[in-house]
């Protein structure tokens, strides 16, 4: 059977009254869902105990990359190396796409999270360290 075809064995998975085949939840999130974390907002942002975006825009200059070859790099960025850039303005050259200013607030084993400069304001974003070609802290 094709996986997206209707299967009558699953018709009673959801109780009636939920609309569109989904269960209805009482106001306030329903039972079994924890309340949002204190100081973290309804969506859990900003994470990590209230890390805030910088209060000012990034520097007006653009750093020059050290790997000036412009070709593809065979090495991945080490999360330990970018951890030294926590809470510092960091310029990132991604493997694909345009370079941008970033303000990292969290470094994991394979990803970095923080605030990305859009040209007008900071937005919370995350990036896989394998997608970073080069970075430079200022």
């Amino acid at each position: 059977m094709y996986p997206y075809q209707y299967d009558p064995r699953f018709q009673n998975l959801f109780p009636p009254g939920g609309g569109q085949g989904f269960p209805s939840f009482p106001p306030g999130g329903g039972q079994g869902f924890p309340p949002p974390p204190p100081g973290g907002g309804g969506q859990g942002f900003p994470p990590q105990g209230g890390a805030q975006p910088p209060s000012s825009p990034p520097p007006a200059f653009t750093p020059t990359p050290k790997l000036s070859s412009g070709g593809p790099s065979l090495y991945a960025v080490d999360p330990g190396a970018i951890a030294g850039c926590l809470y510092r303005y960091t310029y990132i050259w991604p493997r694909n796409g345009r370079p941008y200013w970033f303000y990292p607030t969290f470094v994991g084993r394979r990803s970095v999270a923080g605030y990305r400069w859009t040209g007008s304001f900071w937005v919370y974003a995350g990036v896989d360290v394998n997608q970073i070609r080069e970075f430079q802290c200022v």
Side-chain angles (χ1 to χ4, degrees), residues 3 10 12-13 17 27 32-33 47 60 66-67 79-80 84 87 94 101 126 132 134:
F10 301 113
N12 294 323
L13 279 178
F33 293 98
K66 293 181 179 157
L67 299 174
Y87 302 103
W101 282 104
I132 299 174
E134 188 176 347

Side-chain angles (χ1 to χ4, degrees), residues 9 18 20 25 29 40 54 66 68 71 87 98 100 117 121 134:
R9 295 178 294 172
Q20 303 297 323
F25 293 105
K66 293 181 179 157
S68 59
Y87 302 103
R98 301 174 76 179
Y100 55 90
W117 182 249
F121 52 89
E134 188 176 347

Side-chain angles (χ1 to χ4, degrees), residues 47-125:
Q48 299 300 320
Q52 297 293 322
S55 57
S56 61
F61 68 92
T62 301
T64 56
K66 293 181 179 157
L67 299 174
S68 59
S69 66
S73 173
L74 300 176
Y75 302 104
V77 169
D78 178 31
I82 202 165
C85 294
L86 280 173
Y87 302 103
R88 295 173 60 189
Y89 294 112
T90 305
Y91 201 75
I92 292 186
W93 289 271
R95 292 189 184 280
N96 296 316
R98 301 174 76 179
Y100 55 90
W101 282 104
F102 193 68
Y103 188 80
T105 58
F106 170 80
V107 177
R109 291 188 315 159
R110 297 189 313 196
S111 63
V112 181
Y115 294 91
R116 182 176 174 163
W117 182 249
T118 65
S120 303
F121 52 89
W122 294 101
V123 294
Y124 191 78

